[in-house]
Amino acid sequence: MASLFRTARRAQPALTRTIARPSTRLAPIALYRQYASAAASVAVPSSGELPFFPDEPAGPTVATAIPGPKSIKAIERLSKVFDTRSLNMMVDYQRSYGNYIADLDNNVLLDLYAQIASIPVGYNNPSLLLAATSPEMASAIINRPALGNFPQHDWADILETGILSVAPKGLDQVFTGTTGSDANELAYKAAFMYKRQQQRGGAHVEFSEADINSSMNNQSPGAPALSILSFKSGFHGRLFGSLSTTRSKPIHKIDIPAFDWPQAPFPMLKYPLEEFASENAAEEQRCLEETERLITTFHAPPAAVVVEPIQSEGGDNHASPSFFRGLRELTKKHDILFIVDEVQTGVGATGKFWAHDHWNLTSPPDMVTFSKKAQAAGFYFGNSELRPNKPYRQFNTWMGDPARAILFRAIIQEIDRLDLVNSTAATGGYLYAGLDRLAKQYPSEIHNLRGKGQGTFIAWDSPRRDEVLKKAKTVGINVGGSGEKAVRLRPMLIFQKHHADIFLEGLEKIFKS
């Protein structure tokens, strides 16, 4: 544990006084309890790289079947009061550390799923623990402000030193929310209000009596016949507006009323990319042409196009930077907004802080939504006209959460301190090369390997995907799937080459079984 305290002190010296109190008071239990790494001696990786978590386990430990007897008992108890049918594993977070996730039965797994891509810098990260025990955090938690009406006095400072310090190029404002679905819905509302504001002649033009009266009856013009164009296999959330743009799986949508909004085809590329360059270019052009047709002919004209840089839940579907540049040009040509959904791809996972940085756009997106690894949520924008022309139009009680914004600031500082975006890019290249070797050795197991040059945002199609995911736990690995047949990798930004070696070795054991 001494190394953990040293790591924490190096991370944020100004905050060390927040843990200099008796362990029976406010110091988090994770700072003085025994981690699951106790049974695993600290080892210097053969790669020679300096571990980000020096006292992390040297490797996985599989002590029982998963779930084991203690986990089964806990699941049975939980199932009486909570739906456990989607449960992956019962976790002991106080014993999880760094890249390793622990359960109640002394199983410790290398985690390449990271809570559905949402843990950025490791379990019980010392720097985040310090931020979590600061007086600033305590105030934000116990006095949670209704930010629209009663923002705390230092809210601007929290935003400027955190969320806005990593704003995408050209976007210098933010509207904060609570979840990824919420972030997208807020962006959609901004798009609709902006479009109608344009149609009326500007922000200064008052609503007509027809606007006001018809809106209360869910009729036009107050409830206009506008839409958001999304893409087949895309995922943007599970609230009503975001769900209407989600097209990944029927289970998300069945029985839920939906808006009649258009969906364009997303390119289905062939792999290896270098062998199908002409076919893939033609596929992307086809999708762009169909997108333009929908923009210009759909009965409810789109106010915006929303797209993921990589379709994550829908199967890890990729497209080239050229496709996204073409999409941006279409939105400019037809005067509609371009929303990039970076809920899963943002905050360093692709080897860039924002995945759309890979595209080299000539003009930035109009809005970029974020959540997951940010721990906070919302959307970035640059055009002040995307603020509604009157108060209370984009509004709810919380309008975000200062506690989560403070945590995101600590995450940003940790990413910068350890240079984790560049590290993820390098580790991703190493991991992809290892998977490419396995794909050649076991061609029946790894199909359509994709994600080269995209950090650790890597996936492949497996003919026995669910079996592979289940067997992964038996060799000490927690990994997830996407779409119908993809195995997707979503490790944390602290995932390093020696972790990749452990994963690749475990994966080969599965393929041999």
Side-chain angles (χ1 to χ4, degrees):
M1 282 300 97
S3 62
L4 173 59
F5 282 104
R6 287 195 297 272
T7 302
R9 285 195 292 270
R10 287 197 300 270
Q12 296 185 26
L15 292 177
T16 54
R17 64 180 180 275
T18 66
I19 61 171
R21 55 170 68 92
S23 62
T24 56
R25 296 297 301 277
L26 296 180
I29 189 171
L31 280 177
Y32 57 84
R33 63 96 174 94
Q34 191 173 32
Y35 286 103
S37 57
S41 60
V42 179
V44 177
S46 59
S47 63
E49 63 189 353
L50 181 66
F52 293 136
F53 281 66
D55 52 352
E56 185 182 60
T61 300
V62 180
T64 72
I66 301 175
K70 291 182 180 179
S71 292
I72 290 172
K73 186 176 180 179
I75 293 168
E76 289 174 348
R77 179 185 178 189
L78 181 60
S79 67
K80 295 175 182 178
V81 295
F82 190 80
D83 189 351
T84 60
R85 289 173 295 178
S86 60
L87 187 145
N88 183 306
M89 63 184 288
M90 185 65 77
V91 181
D92 185 343
Y93 287 104
Q94 294 179 354
R95 296 183 65 250
S96 301
Y97 187 56
N99 288 278
Y100 288 86
I101 188 169
D103 71 4
L104 304 176
D105 298 282
N106 294 319
N107 297 300
V108 181
L109 309 185
L110 179 63
D111 192 1
L112 282 87
Y113 198 35
Q115 307 295 302
I116 319 178
S118 59
I119 298 295
V121 291
Y123 294 113
N124 288 299
N125 180 288
S127 298
L128 270 60
L129 286 167
L130 288 170
T133 55
S134 68
E136 184 182 32
M137 179 66 85
S139 175
I141 292 172
I142 67 175
N143 303 304
R144 184 176 181 178
L147 290 168
N149 287 147
F150 302 97
Q152 59 193 78
H153 70 283
D154 56 351
W155 185 224
D157 181 69
I158 291 171
L159 292 175
E160 290 169 356
T161 59
I163 290 174
L164 287 171
S165 71
V166 291
K169 296 174 184 176
L171 309 184
D172 59 0
Q173 301 174 65
V174 67
F175 195 102
T176 51
T178 54
T179 68
S181 296
D182 184 35
N184 284 326
E185 299 240 344
L186 292 168
Y188 298 173
K189 287 177 65 180
F192 290 135
M193 288 186 277
Y194 175 78
K195 176 57 71 173
R196 288 294 290 136
Q197 186 171 286
Q198 281 186 315
Q199 293 172 347
R200 289 190 187 96
H204 65 283
V205 179
E206 292 294 330
F207 306 128
S208 70
E209 186 174 348
D211 288 330
I212 294 169
N213 293 337
S214 61
S215 69
M216 301 306 292
N217 295 314
N218 297 340
Q219 294 178 350
S220 183
L226 295 172
S227 66
I228 302 292
L229 185 147
S230 60
F231 290 85
K232 292 179 180 178
S233 299
F235 182 91
H236 302 287
R238 292 180 172 89
L239 300 178
F240 275 101
S242 55
L243 188 58
S244 288
T245 55
T246 287
R247 316 283 187 168
S248 53
K249 292 179 181 177
I251 196 66
H252 303 319
K253 298 174 69 71
I254 290 173
D255 295 336
I256 310 300
F259 295 111
D260 183 12
W261 290 353
Q263 60 172 326
F266 191 84
M268 291 292 106
L269 303 184
K270 296 181 178 180
Y271 295 87
L273 294 176
E274 59 273 14
E275 295 182 14
F276 297 97
S278 59
E279 292 92 334
N280 289 337
E283 168 68 355
E284 292 190 337
Q285 183 60 34
R286 178 188 73 84
C287 293
L288 287 172
E289 290 173 357
E290 178 61 11
T291 300
E292 184 167 32
R293 187 190 70 79
L294 288 168
I295 289 172
T296 56
T297 64
F298 196 76
H299 62 85
V305 168
V306 64
V307 70
E308 301 164 272
I310 300 168
Q311 288 189 328
S312 303
E313 297 293 330
D316 268 49
N317 305 313
H318 293 245
S320 73
S322 177
F323 171 78
F324 293 107
R325 288 194 295 266
L327 196 57
R328 181 55 176 139
E329 291 306 311
L330 285 180
T331 60
K332 290 172 63 178
K333 175 181 176 181
H334 296 288
D335 194 25
I336 62 176
L337 299 177
F338 187 41
I339 304 170
V340 178
D341 178 348
E342 290 250 30
V343 167
Q344 189 159 154
T345 56
V347 193
T350 67
K352 301 279 189 182
F353 201 95
W354 301 108
H356 74 268
D357 287 340
H358 287 284
W359 303 343
N360 296 317
L361 296 176
T362 57
S363 62
D366 295 293
M367 288 177 271
V368 173
T369 60
F370 64 94
S371 188
K372 286 198 180 281
K373 279 187 172 64
Q375 300 291 293
F379 71 88
Y380 294 100
F381 63 103
N383 183 354
S384 293
E385 292 187 10
L386 286 172
R387 295 190 186 192
N389 61 342
K390 294 182 183 297
Y392 288 100
R393 301 194 71 198
Q394 281 274 45
F395 186 85
N396 56 56
T397 299
W398 304 123
M399 295 181 69
D401 184 352
R404 293 297 164 182
I406 291 169
L407 190 62
F408 188 20
R409 182 175 63 187
I411 290 167
I412 292 165
Q413 292 169 350
E414 187 75 339
I415 289 172
D416 182 63
R417 183 178 75 87
L418 297 175
D419 195 20
L420 293 181
V421 176
N422 286 326
S423 173
T424 297
T427 301
Y430 181 85
L431 177 59
Y432 186 93
L435 286 166
D436 191 44
R437 289 193 298 271
L438 287 181
K440 292 179 172 64
Q441 191 174 352
Y442 302 95
S444 64
E445 297 284 357
I446 296 180
H447 302 168
N448 301 322
L449 178 64
R450 49 201 183 271
K452 185 176 184 179
Q454 299 290 314
T456 55
F457 219 93
I458 299 170
W460 69 90
D461 294 333
S462 169
R464 54 174 185 140
R465 193 271 305 276
D466 292 347
E467 181 184 356
V468 168
L469 299 184
K470 185 176 181 179
K471 285 190 173 184
K473 285 185 171 62
T474 69
V475 297
I477 295 167
N478 182 48
V479 69
S482 63
E484 296 180 356
K485 55 186 177 181
V487 177
R488 60 170 162 176
L489 306 186
R490 295 293 185 272
M492 306 170 211
L493 303 180
I494 56 163
F495 190 82
Q496 296 177 273
K497 292 177 182 178
H498 64 278
H499 300 115
D501 289 336
I502 293 170
F503 168 69
L504 293 168
E505 180 181 348
L507 194 61
E508 186 165 16
K509 290 179 181 178
I510 296 170
F511 292 163
K512 288 180 176 179
S513 65

